[in-house]
């Protein structure tokens, strides 16, 4: 049976985000590897186009709060997931940190990420300044991996249009990425701002004007993302992002299960086993209570219609909530939401995605708590100076003057590729952690996160006691538990 507008086309491909963006959006990225292992093999059987398992905030959170080696997670999962490609979210020259790193760090990071098992690199830049792609894309291509060029989707009005983020803007950016050699194009709607009909218009136009496959990513924050995905499928989108139901919705992503049913009986329906997905979800339901305290509980609604005004993306919301909790000022959350668009406009209207979401968000909180620009973070100074790239609109001149007054690099902003102004970093880091870092993976952890990275390596090698609250299970413990699990499976198969 064929219904609606879905009378032709091939099955839409699906990328699963459960093991990265799902728990990052809902649970401040606190999911441990030990809770991924029991479902890894079954997720490999689903038939996803790829599984996003790394990148974003995982690198920071793992070494800082979970005492897990970020590189080891990829290696471990690769032992269980052997058919499905691994995807990661790479912040261009920011890599997995919150500033632009020197080219030598960027090259080594991509090479080592390929080595541990990353197959698809979704590369984005918070300002959509694709000069910040150049170094990492060269290494992705050199390693024979998949380069997915991403455009950060943002708005200045309720619907797509206006002087900044309009249809022409996105088509132009898409053509830039195609010319750079992108294997696929991703529209990254990190705040859930895209409306269903704008999705149809945008995907339809992209399919007309570029030749590479189009991939759509949208958070559920505003409640529109499932409708967005269906309209995008009607328009011919090639790949969509979803999560398994227990880690979907709220500030996460559309749930895969209802989308499968909605598309059933059409040529675009993915050939996936709904019962298998539900079984995997049962495991997530069992372990989810471990992370419940990290979920925002300040509202009853599972969607945030206010996002259509304040444009705060999912991961940013949980960070704002945690920041205000620490300041005993959670009751001022609505003031912060009102301040975010003002701070954003002051700082050149950047799309709100890591790291600019944190930069704008933290500054908005400081503006509310202490007065506008009475306190300014170093990241805001770097942004205004140009170390993150070119902002979509000029930075407010008065704010620029105030922020850069006495700035160590100078008071006149730069205009070239940001990384061209950065000195190589690896040799200095290598000398600093000599005797502590055992290999290039350890070196990268310290290069990306100097203070917390060194502390993690001291935990890792037993040079300092690891706090009880961050102690993870060892790989041996995980493997032993898995052996028991396999024996249980064998017993059930024999009984069957």
């Amino acid at each position: 049976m064929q219904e609606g507008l879905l009378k032709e086309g091939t099955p839409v491909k699906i990328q699963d985000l459960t093991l990265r963006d799902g728990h990052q959006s809902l649970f401040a990225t606190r999911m441990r590897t030990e809770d991924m292992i029991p479902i890894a093999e079954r997720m490999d059987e689903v038939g996803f186009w790829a599984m996003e398992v790394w990148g974003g905030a995982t690198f920071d959170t793992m070494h800082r709060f979970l005492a897990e080696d970020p590189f080891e997670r990829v290696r471990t999962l690769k032992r269980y997931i052997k058919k499905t490609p691994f995807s990661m979210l790479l912040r261009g020259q920011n890599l997995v940190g919150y500033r632009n790193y020197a080219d030598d760090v960027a090259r080594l990071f991509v090479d080592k990420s390929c080595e541990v098992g990353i197959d698809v690199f979704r590369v984005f830049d918070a300002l959509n300044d694709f000069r910040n792609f150049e170094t990492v894309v060269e290494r992705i291509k050199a390693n024979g991996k998949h380069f997915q060029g991403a455009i950060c989707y943002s708005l200045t009005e309720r619907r797509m249009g206006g002087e900044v983020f309009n249809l022409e803007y996105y088509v132009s950016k898409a053509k830039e990425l195609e010319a750079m050699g992108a294997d696929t194009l991703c529209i990254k709607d990190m705040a859930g701002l895209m409306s269903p009909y704008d999705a149809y218009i945008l995907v339809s136009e992209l399919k007309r004007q570029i030749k590479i496959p189009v991939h759509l990513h949208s958070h559920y924050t505003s409640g529109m993302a499932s409708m967005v995905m269906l309209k995008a499928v009607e328009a011919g989108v090639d790949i969509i992002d979803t999560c398994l139901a227990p880690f979907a919705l709220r500030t996460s992503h559309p749930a895969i299960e209802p989308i499968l049913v909605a598309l059933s009986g059409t040529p675009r329906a993915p050939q996936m086993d709904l019962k298998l997905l539900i079984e995997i979800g049962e495991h997530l339901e069992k372990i989810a209570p471990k992370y419940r305290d990290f979920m925002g509980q300040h509202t009853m609604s599972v969607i945030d219609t206010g996002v259509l005004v304040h444009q705060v993306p999912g991961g940013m919301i949980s960070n704002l909530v945690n920041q205000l909790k620490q300041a005993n000022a959670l009751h001022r959350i609505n003031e912060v939401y009102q301040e975010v668009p003002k701070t954003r406009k002051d700082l050149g209207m950047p799309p709100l995605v890591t790291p600019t979401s944190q930069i704008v968000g933290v500054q908005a909180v400081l503006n509310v708590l202490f007065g506008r620009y009475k306190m300014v973070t170093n990241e805001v100074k770097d942004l205004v100076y140009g170390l993150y790239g070119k902002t979509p609109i000029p930075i407010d001149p008065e704010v620029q003057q105030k922020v850069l007054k006495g700035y160590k690099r100078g008071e006149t902003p730069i205009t070239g590729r940001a990384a061209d102004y950065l000195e190589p970093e690896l040799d200095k880091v290598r000398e600093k952690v000599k005797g502590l870092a055992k290999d290039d993976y350890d070196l990268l952890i310290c290069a990306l996160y100097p203070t917390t990275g060194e502390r993690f390596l001291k935990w890792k090698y037993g040079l300092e006691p690891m706090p009880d609250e961050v102690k993870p299970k060892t790989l041996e413990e995980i493997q032993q538990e898995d052996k028991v699990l396999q024996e249980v499976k064998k017993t059930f198969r024999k009984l069957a």
Side-chain angles (χ1 to χ4, degrees):
M1 180 177 64
Q2 299 177 350
E3 297 180 3
L5 300 177
L6 300 177
K7 296 182 179 180
E8 58 182 24
T10 57
V12 64
K13 297 179 176 66
I14 294 180
Q15 174 169 270
D16 178 77
L17 307 184
T18 304
L19 302 187
R20 204 287 295 178
D21 207 0
H23 69 98
Q24 176 172 324
S25 297
L26 296 183
F27 308 122
T29 333
R30 292 306 203 275
M31 190 179 188
R32 291 184 176 274
T33 306
E34 66 194 52
D35 288 325
M36 301 176 183
I37 295 298
I39 55 173
E41 291 178 331
R42 283 183 288 171
M43 291 188 75
D44 197 24
E45 296 297 322
V46 172
F48 294 119
W49 178 78
M51 288 172 57
E52 189 185 65
V53 300
W54 211 48
T58 54
F59 204 98
D60 184 7
T61 304
M62 287 184 68
H63 88 277
R64 188 191 301 259
F65 300 117
L66 306 182
E68 290 190 39
D69 188 318
F71 292 104
E72 191 58 39
R73 172 171 290 179
V74 185
R75 294 190 192 99
T76 300
L77 290 176
K78 207 71 173 180
R79 296 188 184 104
Y80 299 89
I81 301 171
K82 299 179 180 179
K83 296 184 294 185
T84 310
F86 279 7
S87 174
M88 78 163 291
L89 182 66
L90 186 69
R91 301 171 187 148
Q93 202 76 27
N94 283 187
L95 304 177
V96 289
Y98 305 106
R99 65 175 177 86
N100 276 342
Y101 295 92
D103 285 334
D104 60 342
V105 178
R107 293 188 188 99
L108 184 63
F109 181 83
V110 173
D111 287 345
K112 291 301 173 181
S113 299
C114 294
E115 193 172 286
V116 295
I118 298 299
D119 305 295
V120 178
F121 289 80
R122 173 177 289 174
V123 185
F124 78 95
D125 178 71
L127 301 179
N128 288 328
D129 185 345
F130 299 148
R131 295 175 299 176
N132 291 327
F133 283 22
E134 293 174 6
T135 299
V136 296
V137 167
E138 186 276 323
R139 295 315 304 159
I140 293 168
K141 292 290 189 179
N143 282 278
K145 300 298 183 178
H146 184 111
F147 162 42
Q148 181 171 94
I151 306 171
C152 294
Y153 185 84
S154 194
L155 299 174
T156 54
E157 303 176 5
R158 185 168 297 176
R159 294 283 302 274
M160 180 173 63
E163 296 181 359
V164 184
F165 301 112
N166 49 44
L167 183 61
E168 292 74 20
Y169 173 88
Y170 293 114
V171 171
S172 174
K173 291 292 182 181
K175 289 181 177 179
E176 282 187 53
L177 291 175
E178 186 175 40
M180 288 184 72
D183 298 293
T184 52
L185 170 78
C186 176
I187 301 299
K188 181 177 169 59
D189 178 23
M190 57 280 172
L193 299 175
M194 187 179 289
S195 71
Y197 293 108
D198 282 344
Y200 187 87
I201 293 168
L202 178 56
V203 171
S204 297
E205 192 64 21
L206 290 173
K207 293 297 293 180
R208 277 195 290 269
Q209 299 223 29
I210 64 173
K211 296 178 181 179
I212 57 177
V214 177
H215 191 150
L216 183 58
H217 168 102
S218 182
H219 285 258
Y220 200 81
T221 313
S222 70
M224 294 194 291
S226 292
M227 295 182 284
V228 162
M229 292 303 172
L230 289 178
K231 293 301 292 184
V233 170
E234 289 181 5
V237 76
D238 299 281
I239 314 163
I240 61 173
D241 282 348
T242 64
C243 287
L244 292 164
F247 280 21
L249 309 187
R250 296 184 183 269
T251 54
S252 182
H253 298 269
I256 181 174
E257 299 87 347
I259 288 180
L260 284 183
V261 174
L263 294 176
S264 64
T266 76
R268 304 231 61 198
Q271 301 305 306
M272 294 179 174
D273 186 343
L274 181 61
K275 291 182 179 179
L276 174 60
L277 293 170
I278 292 173
E279 289 173 6
I280 297 171
E282 289 173 355
H283 169 76
L284 295 176
E285 288 287 3
K286 291 177 182 177
I287 60 97
K290 294 170 58 176
Y291 307 109
R292 188 171 292 159
D293 289 344
F294 295 104
M295 180 180 286
Q297 299 175 357
H298 56 291
T299 62
M300 177 68 72
S301 177
V302 297
I303 64 172
D304 176 14
T305 51
V307 74
L308 299 171
V309 177
H310 57 60
Q311 299 193 5
V312 180
M316 184 177 173
I317 290 177
S318 57
N319 288 333
L320 289 176
V321 169
N322 288 333
Q323 189 181 355
L324 288 170
K325 278 183 178 178
Q326 292 172 6
N328 294 318
L330 187 57
H331 62 285
R332 303 190 72 178
I333 186 70
N334 287 331
E335 292 179 63
V336 172
Y337 283 161
Q338 293 171 4
E339 174 62 25
V340 164
K342 299 175 185 176
T343 303
R344 181 191 181 203
K345 186 175 182 180
D346 290 343
L347 299 180
M349 202 64 76
L352 294 180
V353 63
T354 304
T356 53
S357 58
Q358 282 84 347
I359 293 171
V360 172
V362 170
Q363 189 59 51
V365 170
L366 294 177
N367 286 352
V368 167
L369 296 181
F370 303 106
R372 303 198 83 231
Y373 303 102
K374 298 291 184 180
M375 291 181 63
V376 179
T377 67
N378 289 329
E379 290 77 12
V380 167
K381 294 177 183 178
D382 290 346
L383 174 69
V384 172
Y385 185 69
L387 288 181
Y388 287 90
K390 182 181 179 181
T391 54
I393 65 173
I395 291 169
D396 182 273
E398 292 184 9
V399 172
Q400 176 183 302
Q401 185 177 16
K402 185 180 296 186
V403 167
L404 293 183
K405 185 176 182 180
Y407 179 62
K408 60 183 179 181
R409 295 178 182 270
E411 298 185 3
T412 302
I414 59 175
T415 57
R417 187 182 79 104
D420 288 340
Y421 298 85
L422 301 176
E423 295 293 329
E425 300 180 41
L426 284 179
D427 285 345
K428 292 180 181 179
V429 178
R430 189 175 285 110
E431 183 63 29
K432 183 181 178 183
V433 297
K434 189 175 182 179
L436 178 60
K438 306 296 184 185
D439 52 30
D440 284 341
Y441 299 104
D442 288 348
L443 178 67
L444 282 167
I445 292 172
C446 292
L448 295 168
Y449 295 97
T451 302
T452 58
E454 287 185 41
R455 183 184 65 184
F456 166 74
L457 292 186
K458 291 176 181 177
W459 292 346
K460 179 180 177 180
Y461 295 117
L463 301 177
E464 284 186 3
M466 186 184 298
D468 290 338
E469 63 268 21
V470 301
K471 286 182 180 178
K473 292 183 180 179
T474 65
L475 179 58
E476 289 74 20
E477 289 173 325
I478 293 173
Q479 290 174 332
Q480 182 59 38
E481 289 179 358
D482 189 60
K483 287 179 181 178
V484 174
L485 180 64
Q486 295 296 337
E487 290 301 319
V488 171
K489 287 181 178 179
K490 288 180 182 178
T491 301
F492 275 110
R493 282 197 290 268
K494 288 178 181 178
L495 292 174

